[in-house]
Amino acid sequence: EYCWEINPRVSKLSDTDGTLHVVYGGSIWTEDEYPDADFSFSWFVWLAKVLAKHGIHFHLYPGHGNWRDRFESMFAGEDKATSMYFHLHRPVPMSKWIAEIAQYDVGVNIYRSLLEGKAPPQYTIHQPRLMYSNGAIADFLDAGVYLLTNADIFVSWLANRLGFGINVTLKDLQNK
């Protein structure tokens, strides 16, 4: 049973070009808005550069704000290898989102703070460790896209139980 009752039948970009395509869609914060944000501007710039070094395409769909100029200017000075693997997209209506992400191989729901060995800033010792999930997990499941996530969080447990989760560490990302 699918969450949105959508079962897209689209071909993967990797079937065409033979390279891996990773996607993220959602909130992105600047450090001045939220200094310890897990989904920060600098985190996605770092991730795009790491993936590019391994020849992996990174597709980013910011969920709010006007990020196109900021990301494009950030990558303007980068070597062509980085910029040719980074793809910034305009927002997509929710009615088309599942079909849009279905063309990719892997989605990203990685908390930067957990990769760095920290607890997420919005949680305290008295709260469960990341016992929430955004709609992304259902979207990736419906789209038939694997999900990169941190180990030891509820999203990871659920994605693994449903057969589409891939747990990663900082070392995994840096070493492919």
Side-chain angles (χ1 to χ4, degrees), residues 20-24 39 43 47 51 56 58 105-111 136 140 145-151 153 155-156 159-160 164-169 172-173 176:
L20 192 63
H21 290 261
V22 175
V23 63
Y24 172 82
F39 300 104
W43 159 243
L47 183 60
L51 293 173
I56 298 171
F58 183 51
D105 302 295
V106 181
V108 174
N109 194 29
I110 300 172
Y111 293 83
F140 290 121
V145 174
Y146 287 96
L147 182 63
L148 291 178
T149 186
N150 309 86
I153 63 171
V155 171
S156 171
N160 286 318
F164 72 105
I166 303 168
N167 297 339
V168 296
T169 64
D172 294 333
L173 289 173
K176 196 175 182 185

Side-chain angles (χ1 to χ4, degrees), residues 95-157:
S95 61
K96 299 182 189 299
W97 180 240
I98 304 300
E100 183 73 17
I101 62 172
Q103 65 185 320
Y104 303 113
D105 302 295
V106 181
V108 174
N109 194 29
I110 300 172
Y111 293 83
R112 183 189 71 186
S113 59
L114 292 176
L115 283 180
E116 296 170 349
K118 302 174 197 167
Q122 67 269 35
Y123 289 79
T124 69
I125 197 165
H126 304 291
Q127 293 175 307
R129 188 163 185 191
L130 290 179
M131 290 302 292
Y132 78 95
S133 168
N134 56 25
I137 193 167
D139 293 345
F140 290 121
L141 177 62
D142 275 356
V145 174
Y146 287 96
L147 182 63
L148 291 178
T149 186
N150 309 86
D152 301 331
I153 63 171
F154 179 71
V155 171
S156 171
W157 172 83

